[in-house]
Amino acid sequence: MRVLVVEDDSELAAWLQSTLTSTIGVTDVLDSIGEAEAALLTYQFNLVVVDRRLPDGDGLTLLPALKNCSPQPATLFLTALDDPNDIALALDRGADEYVGKPFEPAELVARAKAVLRRYALDQRGTGQIGNLSFDLHHRSVLVNHDPVEVPRRELAILEALVRRAGRVVQRETLELSVYRMDDEIESNAIDSHVSRLRRRLRQAGCDAQIRAVRGVGYLMTAR
Amino acid sequence: MISRRRSIAFPVALLLVMGMTIVMGLSTLLTVTLLVAMRPEERVRIGPYEIARLLRSAVTHDGAGNLKLDEDILSSSVLSIARGHPSFWYVIRDGRSTVSSGQVPPLPSQASHDSAYQLTYSEFMYSHHGQHLPGVSVAAGAEGGISIETGGIAFSVPEAVWVLLVGARGSGLYHLLALVLFATATAATLIVKAAIARPVKRVVVNAEQIDAIPNGRLLPDDRTPTELLPMVVAFNTALQRIDAAFESQRSFLSNAAHELRTPLTRMRLKLELIQDDKLRGAVVREAAHLASVIRTLLQLARLSNQALETAPVDLVAVGRAMVAEHALAALEQGIELAFRTEAKTVVIQGSESAIRAALSNLLLNAIQHATGTRQVTLAVALPSQVSVVDHGPGVAQEDRAAIFRPFVRGTTTRTDGTGLGLAIVMQVMATHGGAVWLEDTLGGGATVLLTFPAGQALARPLSKLQGAAKGLDS
């Protein structure tokens, strides 16, 4: 894994460099949009952490350059602005994740890992939560490297949950990922699929957990 | 003091009427003068004719049945002009009595008077001291009717003009002129009003489209008439000033956010270096508290300084999203967040970001105060109500009014909240014209009820068919 941090505050940049190097991978630090644009042309990164307020402008202006990279790196924006409109603007333009300052060190690392997991699932077709690994191409689930048999619909639910691990996936989203549009859905169908999936994973010794949020949906967390 | 407003159309119309009166008067005078001056034979006939007409209208009978002349008419200006001529005379007869004045010349025969029920009019010329003078004879009615003869006057041009103008009084000409003037004045008032009102209306329509969002919108001045331009320009200048003030407020908030949060971030990261776990935990909690005070303060400042951009907002979707957003943090504190609704959508007119801020603060508040209990529920109900129900210690009766004010916390609070969350909720509800209620939860705890104006709700009840549908669960 290779990480690029674009941050002009030297203290924060140094902390990000040492923390991300030890938790994710080799981290380079640059302090302006111009330098970052040049670096993106030459090197490949898996994750780019960008501050919104940089000496040569808004960090969001780096997004077009990031979109042109192949493979496209995951993006995480750091900001002191938490106006909901600012956040909506950043996510609209294609930022993957948004962390407000000040942040809890552990939360930043967790969010960065979650974004990377989503990218891994999209780009390589594999995802990992706790001791559970998920292979999208082979439609296989491994718990502690042992294969677990998961039926088609439960697998679709698991995929949706792994894709958004650490976040609540709304029931509607799960229904859309499991059923075709013209399928008739019984109101508690998703719940019974999830409870079977939970039992299956527990029996296999999985340490990732599927938790219910009543009236909303489910979320998957590593214990 | 009540200021009296008058339409500018009235003075304009008044000026127009005055102008028209002068023009009409002058043109009438000029026409009559030309007529009189260019046709001398007509002028000669005007005098006796008009005098005869005047006398006829002045004749009455007194109590004894004798002829009598109305004093008012005898003293009129026309008759006094006639009396200025020494040869002026008249004689009025009704068979029984006679009234006369001046030196009456020998008159022609009264043959014409025989014709009954007729008004006859005849002119004659006679000589007087070698001068040819005109005379007229008017006979009205049958036997017992009145006959009037007069003559001996030859008016000069100004006299003839004056007599004609005065004589025209009875013919209704002046009424007609007055009617024309009145019609013109009314039409002028209406037209002037419309002419002034149309460009003003255009400006007003444009001004009404200007919403509360400072987005640099100005009144267009390309079709504004010159007279209104200063007003439009002044209005636009005021708009630009408001936009500039808003922009500086916005940049102040963004700078404040940056200047407060960046050092706080550095500080928070340095706290990781503290070796003593207990000390680190305590200081990290303090830092988190400070961060949350700053977050809510900036939020409050933003909400109270910004005009809200409103759009249709689905309270069900927003409520569900907010529960989803806070669910993990709540779970980590051992609290299960739940969402409940009977409606598929509850749409109100409002600001989504403000409502999100309010719900977020309510949930954070409930999670913080309900620590140790099991569940916090956010419910959306028809027609436009959101409630957050916790089973914590509740809010003491004496604190209820106060906790909605900034920096006030309830006495039953054990954990350290910012004391700003409910102030934000209040602010948001006030800008939406809604209300906040605080109630006891059945079996202990607090319930905060947000009621948005119901008139704006466009709700659809949840389809009952959904539960009956057959599934394809395999």
Side-chain angles (χ1 to χ4, degrees):
Chain A
M1 288 284 178
R2 209 175 156 136
V3 183
L4 173 64
V5 168
V6 190
E7 168 62 78
D8 63 323
D9 185 300
S10 56
E11 247 178 80
L12 187 53
W15 181 87
L16 284 167
Q17 186 168 35
S18 72
T19 306
L20 295 177
T21 301
S22 63
T23 52
I24 294 176
V26 183
T27 304
D28 295 300
V29 173
L30 296 172
D31 62 6
S32 71
I33 295 168
E35 285 178 352
E37 272 170 345
L40 285 169
L41 291 175
T42 323
Y43 303 100
Q44 274 189 15
F45 297 97
N46 302 91
L47 173 69
V48 180
V49 178
V50 191
D51 188 15
R52 278 289 296 272
R53 199 177 177 127
L54 289 164
D56 52 348
D58 187 338
L60 285 185
T61 54
L62 201 54
L63 276 169
L66 287 163
K67 289 249 166 80
N68 283 336
C69 295
S70 177
Q72 203 181 311
T75 50
L76 188 151
F77 280 83
L78 280 180
T79 181
L81 312 165
D82 69 350
D83 187 331
N85 295 327
D86 281 328
I87 298 173
L89 180 74
L91 297 178
D92 270 359
R93 294 217 193 144
D96 295 309
E97 189 58 278
Y98 205 88
V99 176
K101 289 180 188 175
F103 48 81
E104 280 301 302
E107 194 196 342
L108 179 84
V109 174
R111 296 262 199 119
K113 282 186 171 169
V115 178
L116 282 170
R117 195 157 47 222
R118 231 152 60 215
Y119 268 75
L121 205 60
D122 285 337
Q123 288 171 356
R124 295 199 305 277
T126 59
Q128 179 89 35
I129 303 184
N131 60 4
L132 176 136
S133 57
F134 187 94
D135 190 324
L136 209 58
H137 300 317
H138 300 101
R139 312 295 296 168
S140 66
V141 177
L142 299 176
V143 174
N144 265 335
H145 309 292
D146 296 325
V148 179
E149 202 66 40
V150 180
R152 182 172 61 91
R153 287 196 166 134
E154 288 170 40
L155 199 67
I157 289 174
L158 186 61
E159 183 193 333
L161 291 173
V162 169
R163 211 177 263 284
R164 295 178 55 84
R167 289 185 171 218
V168 178
V169 184
Q170 295 204 7
R171 181 187 299 275
E172 237 170 53
T173 315
L174 289 178
E175 281 171 357
L176 286 175
S177 60
V178 175
Y179 296 100
R180 287 192 305 271
M181 278 205 304
D182 49 354
D183 282 347
E184 284 184 87
I185 309 160
E186 213 165 275
S187 62
N188 60 353
I190 292 290
D191 300 310
S192 46
H193 283 313
V194 170
S195 78
R196 278 197 291 273
L197 177 63
R198 262 179 180 158
R199 199 164 48 237
R200 213 181 292 283
L201 293 178
R202 200 167 49 236
Q203 278 163 4
C206 177
D207 62 0
Q209 210 178 9
I210 300 173
R211 306 169 94 160
V213 180
R214 268 211 291 157
V216 183
Y218 293 91
L219 88 160
M220 191 161 199
T221 53
R223 222 184 287 249
Chain B
M1 205 178 87
I2 300 162
S3 67
R4 292 202 311 178
R5 266 180 267 277
R6 286 194 315 172
S7 168
I8 37 175
F10 292 116
V12 171
L14 192 70
L15 270 175
L16 200 73
V17 167
M18 280 163 63
M20 272 192 71
T21 312
I22 292 169
V23 168
M24 278 163 67
L26 282 177
S27 63
T28 309
L29 194 67
L30 196 68
T31 311
V32 172
T33 310
L34 275 176
L35 202 76
V36 168
M38 287 173 71
R39 303 179 67 179
E41 70 278 16
E42 287 291 327
R43 170 163 48 104
V44 168
R45 291 161 67 187
I46 286 167
Y49 177 78
E50 288 295 330
I51 298 288
R53 235 165 43 102
L54 194 71
L55 288 172
R56 207 181 141 245
S57 64
V59 173
T60 53
H61 291 89
D62 61 12
N66 293 324
L67 279 174
K68 187 175 165 279
L69 280 175
D70 189 334
E71 294 296 324
D72 284 350
I73 291 179
L74 285 179
S75 62
S76 80
S77 58
V78 173
L79 222 53
S80 61
I81 292 172
R83 286 201 179 102
H85 293 258
S87 55
F88 172 65
W89 61 267
Y90 65 81
V91 52
I92 306 166
R93 282 181 288 240
D94 69 344
R96 291 201 299 152
S97 54
T98 302
V99 178
S100 67
S101 166
Q103 198 180 355
V104 183
L107 293 172
S109 73
Q110 301 281 308
S112 58
H113 289 198
D114 296 341
S115 48
Y117 307 111
Q118 244 180 340
L119 181 70
T120 57
Y121 176 85
S122 53
E123 323 179 347
F124 54 89
M125 298 291 289
Y126 70 97
S127 292
H128 176 74
H129 298 299
Q131 193 184 4
H132 287 286
L133 289 171
V136 296
S137 165
V138 179
E143 281 175 63
I146 298 163
S147 74
I148 300 164
E149 276 105 352
T150 183
I153 35 170
F155 284 156
S156 65
V157 172
E159 281 169 346
V161 167
W162 176 251
V163 168
L164 263 184
L165 287 179
V166 172
R169 205 167 46 184
S171 67
L173 175 69
Y174 294 117
H175 292 98
L176 191 70
L177 288 181
L179 192 71
V180 168
L181 266 181
F182 178 73
T184 312
T186 311
T189 311
L190 295 177
I191 291 168
V192 167
K193 265 187 110 120
I196 296 169
R198 201 178 304 117
V200 171
K201 179 95 182 156
R202 206 161 43 226
V203 171
V204 167
V205 166
N206 282 315
E208 274 171 354
Q209 282 170 353
I210 292 181
D211 40 31
I213 317 304
N215 50 7
R217 184 181 285 190
L218 297 176
L219 288 179
D221 58 8
D222 48 341
R223 285 171 67 204
T224 306
T226 327
E227 291 80 3
L228 278 181
L229 200 59
M231 193 178 81
V232 171
V233 169
F235 189 79
N236 281 343
T237 313
L239 275 180
Q240 280 165 335
R241 277 196 216 116
I242 293 170
D243 277 8
F246 177 82
E247 198 41 54
S248 78
Q249 184 75 41
R250 199 183 161 86
S251 74
F252 170 79
L253 277 175
S254 127
N255 283 331
H258 182 78
E259 296 305 327
L260 289 167
R261 285 186 170 132
T262 306
L264 205 59
T265 312
R266 285 199 291 259
M267 184 186 88
R268 174 65 192 87
L269 298 179
K270 279 184 191 135
L271 296 182
E272 292 297 294
L273 303 174
I274 299 176
Q275 298 296 320
D276 182 343
D277 280 354
K278 208 173 143 198
L279 178 64
R280 188 178 64 233
V283 187
V284 164
R285 263 199 305 284
E286 286 299 324
H289 177 67
L290 186 56
S292 108
V293 171
I294 288 171
R295 176 182 62 82
T296 38
L297 258 184
L298 290 170
Q299 225 170 30
L300 193 60
R302 211 161 35 228
L303 283 171
S304 34
N305 284 301
Q306 250 171 275
L308 291 181
E309 200 163 352
T310 63
V313 181
D314 181 9
L315 292 177
V316 172
V318 173
R320 192 175 272 140
M322 291 326 286
V323 170
E325 195 172 308
H326 292 285
L328 186 61
L331 277 174
E332 278 162 6
Q333 297 205 39
I335 293 172
E336 216 175 275
L337 271 195
F339 178 75
R340 201 179 65 221
T341 189
E342 299 289 317
K344 197 152 198 151
T345 59
V346 174
V347 180
I348 61 152
Q349 192 69 25
S351 155
E352 183 168 334
S353 61
I355 294 172
R356 274 172 170 269
L359 296 186
S360 176
N361 277 294
L362 274 184
L363 286 175
L364 285 173
N365 223 46
I367 293 167
Q368 206 161 41
H369 291 176
T371 307
T373 64
R374 235 178 63 79
Q375 200 174 65
V376 170
T377 307
L378 190 149
V380 176
L382 288 169
S384 49
Q385 200 174 56
V386 183
S387 55
V388 174
V389 184
D390 73 44
H391 302 279
V395 180
Q397 200 71 43
E398 63 267 26
D399 294 336
R400 290 199 178 176
I403 58 165
F404 288 101
R405 292 203 295 269
F407 294 114
V408 176
R409 276 178 266 157
T411 46
T412 47
T413 305
R414 286 162 300 159
T415 46
D416 40 8
T418 61
L420 283 168
L422 288 176
I424 286 173
V425 175
M426 261 318 240
Q427 179 73 40
V428 170
M429 293 315 286
T431 47
H432 281 84
V436 186
W437 293 88
L438 189 63
E439 290 176 355
D440 286 322
T441 305
L442 214 63
T447 295
V448 181
L449 264 170
L450 308 184
T451 311
F452 291 88
Q456 301 166 331
L458 300 158
R460 256 189 319 159
L462 185 64
S463 164
K464 290 269 186 327
L465 292 172
Q466 205 180 25
K470 286 205 172 72
L472 285 170
D473 193 16
S474 56

